[in-house]
Amino acid sequence: MKGIIFAEFLDLVEDTFGLETCQKMLDENQNDGVYTSVGTYDHKDLVKLIVTLSKLTGVSPEDLQQVYGKSIFKTLYKSMPGLEGKADSTFAFINSVEEYIHIEVKKLYPNANPPTFKFISATETQLVMDYVSARCMSHVCLGLIQGCADHFNETINIEMAPITADHSEVRFTITTV
Ligand code: HEM
């Protein structure tokens, strides 16, 4: 997983819970906290950090993933030139993530592994799609979609239903309010 994902996570933890908690979380994982934006790292390290942070703060790993996803949307959006004006709504943007953005990410970084979205149905007010990823970060996905809706100034309702027990496949039903 790309270093930008880790660096952004550490910034958020420091800003939200303070330097001491951030350091404790790293220490407990014997992690030196050095992530360069061009480097690639094991996504399991992120999962471990989230589990430790959850123990230190009492916030559930799912809630931590969601807050993180919401906050990283802006950073990811800014990281890819030319996105401004490409999509004009949350639904259109989510389509472009699957059809264009994550494809470009894989071209740029052959060892990156973004998730796949399978589009099940779409109307003007409702999008149903399946999140598919061996990294099982559906709550990061939830936060990213919320961050995306905020970006387009839209109010949406999101329902999540796991398809597989390990949450490697989760159905998202997204409705505009
Ligand atoms: C609605 C918007 C988006 C959603 C729902 C979304 C979803 C996700 C999720 C859930 C992950 C975590 C990995 C996983 O679950 O397998 C991820 C990874 C990633 N996404 Fe997106 N994403 C969005 C927008 C973007 C944008 C705008 C970029 C711009 C470059 C981007 C680039 C990446 C990158 C670089 C990774 C890390 C992949 C890796 O290092 O293996 N995403 N995305």
Side-chain angles (χ1 to χ4, degrees):
M1 184 158 281
K2 300 310 299 168
I4 185 178
I5 305 279
F6 284 88
E8 186 66 20
F9 176 71
L10 295 181
D11 279 353
L12 176 70
V13 174
E14 197 182 315
D15 289 351
T16 314
F17 301 106
L19 188 58
E20 204 181 314
T21 302
C22 187
Q23 195 57 51
K24 245 190 217 162
M25 171 189 77
L26 289 167
D27 289 348
E28 286 197 17
N29 287 285
Q30 277 122 30
N31 183 318
D32 61 12
V34 177
Y35 292 101
T36 67
S37 57
V38 287
T40 301
Y41 307 89
D42 189 344
H43 87 279
K44 289 197 193 87
D45 289 353
L46 182 61
V47 176
K48 280 188 208 154
L49 291 175
I50 290 177
V51 169
T52 306
L53 183 63
S54 170
K55 283 187 199 136
L56 291 172
T57 60
V59 182
S60 72
E62 289 78 15
D63 284 353
L64 289 171
Q65 278 193 40
Q66 185 184 343
V67 171
Y68 167 57
K70 203 168 168 183
S71 114
I72 204 179
F73 178 81
K74 291 186 204 86
T75 311
L76 287 176
Y77 186 88
K78 278 189 249 152
S79 77
M80 188 173 276
L83 290 186
E84 204 62 54
K86 251 189 185 287
D88 58 0
S89 68
T90 307
F91 291 175
F93 193 84
I94 293 173
N95 261 289
S96 76
V97 171
E98 174 63 18
E99 317 267 314
Y100 172 74
I101 297 173
H102 280 166
I103 293 174
E104 288 301 307
V105 165
K106 279 197 262 183
K107 277 193 218 156
L108 278 169
Y109 316 106
N111 40 18
N113 249 323
T116 305
F117 304 145
K118 282 195 227 156
F119 296 110
I120 306 301
S121 68
T123 67
E124 233 166 73
T125 53
Q126 190 175 73
L127 177 70
V128 182
M129 62 167 220
D130 292 348
Y131 159 91
V132 182
S133 168
R135 282 156 301 286
C136 307
M137 293 186 170
S138 58
H139 284 83
V140 175
C141 194
L142 171 65
L144 275 160
I145 296 170
Q146 288 168 333
C148 182
D150 284 351
H151 173 84
F152 289 105
N153 278 321
E154 290 178 344
T155 310
I156 54 166
N157 178 51
I158 305 173
E159 275 171 40
M160 289 167 78
I163 298 169
T164 53
D166 64 357
H167 291 215
S168 60
E169 290 190 35
V170 175
R171 179 153 298 179
F172 280 76
T173 303
I174 310 163
T175 315
T176 51
V177 182

